[in-house]
Amino acid sequence: MNIIDISLPIHPNMPIYPGNQPTEFNKIVKPSGSQLTAMTFDSHAGTHVDAPAHAGLEGSTEVFPLETFYGLARVIAIENTPLITKKHLLDQDIQAGERILFKTDNSTRGHDIFHDSWTALSSEAAAFLASKKVALVGIDWFGIKQKGAPDNGAHTELLSKQIPILEGITLKNAEPGTYILSAFPVAYLGVDGAQTRAVLIQE
Ligand SMILES: [Zn+2]
């Protein structure tokens, strides 16, 4: 079995979406000598799952059945474009129930800093994926929405259909193809998103 880690590490110097909560770690050493760490970050820091509430809709990450986050997933490479459109998806034979992970130039470029531009998913492409009834959509950047997009369709088209969005993954070590995805969100109650340790498993 080969496990490919597609998660990004969480640490105080991690790149964060502009305006979001900076990540802070503060060590606490108790008189007994035991150590713990107070951690400050928001629900969309690093590799995480978006819940409907993130887009102003009803529901936290608890609305998604756990089965959604484990099972066959397909890595699709769409490169040399700043926007994944419906046109890119028409010949991909997208099937109902598929977990689709988009590998873009974002993965090639890396995630060491928060870049000012990134490859995103168009609202129309999100609506197309929702119409195909996919189980989950993942993208290799901290946000799925195009910078400056006139609407929030990349989120709402999927989240309104209870399709979770897996954001902040890195697919630099994953060739296009089929894997087992494991990406269970942390069980924060009533929150609009949750961190996940996302991996691809090859048997
Ligand atoms: Zn998010």
Side-chain angles (χ1 to χ4, degrees):
M1 184 174 77
N2 180 32
I3 295 180
I4 302 170
D5 193 358
I6 60 168
S7 305
L8 295 169
I10 292 182
H11 59 93
N13 297 316
M14 68 190 289
I16 57 164
Y17 203 96
N20 287 12
Q21 170 68 43
T23 299
E24 290 172 21
F25 287 179
N26 290 299
K27 277 198 179 87
I28 298 166
V29 181
K30 295 166 84 174
S32 64
S34 69
Q35 181 184 301
L36 47 145
T37 303
M39 302 188 291
T40 306
F41 50 83
D42 69 54
S43 48
H44 296 254
T47 306
H48 68 279
V49 171
D50 279 356
H54 178 55
L57 303 163
E58 193 70 34
S60 62
T61 49
E62 299 140 73
V63 300
F64 303 124
L66 280 182
E67 289 77 8
T68 314
F69 302 102
Y70 185 89
L72 281 179
R74 182 149 61 110
V75 173
I76 296 177
I78 297 179
E79 286 152 334
N80 303 311
T81 176
L83 190 64
I84 302 167
T85 64
K86 181 178 171 183
K87 190 161 59 94
H88 293 112
L89 305 181
L90 288 175
D91 59 357
Q92 299 289 351
D93 193 29
I94 307 278
Q95 300 290 324
E98 275 201 295
R99 300 173 186 83
I100 302 290
L101 307 178
F102 290 114
K103 178 179 184 175
T104 75
D105 297 331
N106 300 331
S107 282
T108 315
R109 183 174 64 176
H111 299 81
D112 293 337
I113 60 165
F114 194 95
H115 294 275
D116 194 41
S117 60
W118 57 88
T119 300
L121 187 75
S122 78
S123 298
E124 191 194 18
F128 176 75
L129 290 166
S131 76
K132 291 287 180 184
K133 299 188 167 20
V134 299
L136 173 147
V137 176
I139 189 145
D140 55 358
W141 195 245
F142 303 100
I144 196 166
K145 185 164 77 78
Q146 185 186 25
K147 189 184 181 190
D151 59 68
N152 197 17
H155 283 111
T156 56
E157 295 286 356
L158 296 165
L159 295 174
S160 66
K161 305 280 177 1
Q162 310 284 303
I163 300 167
I165 304 169
L166 176 59
E167 292 180 334
I169 53 175
T170 172
L171 294 169
K172 73 171 186 281
N173 296 322
E175 293 303 317
T178 302
Y179 301 85
I180 302 282
L181 169 74
S182 175
F184 297 111
V186 176
Y188 306 139
L189 294 186
V191 179
D192 45 65
Q195 277 73 32
T196 169
R197 184 62 180 259
V199 299
L200 294 177
I201 302 164
Q202 260 176 329
E203 286 175 305

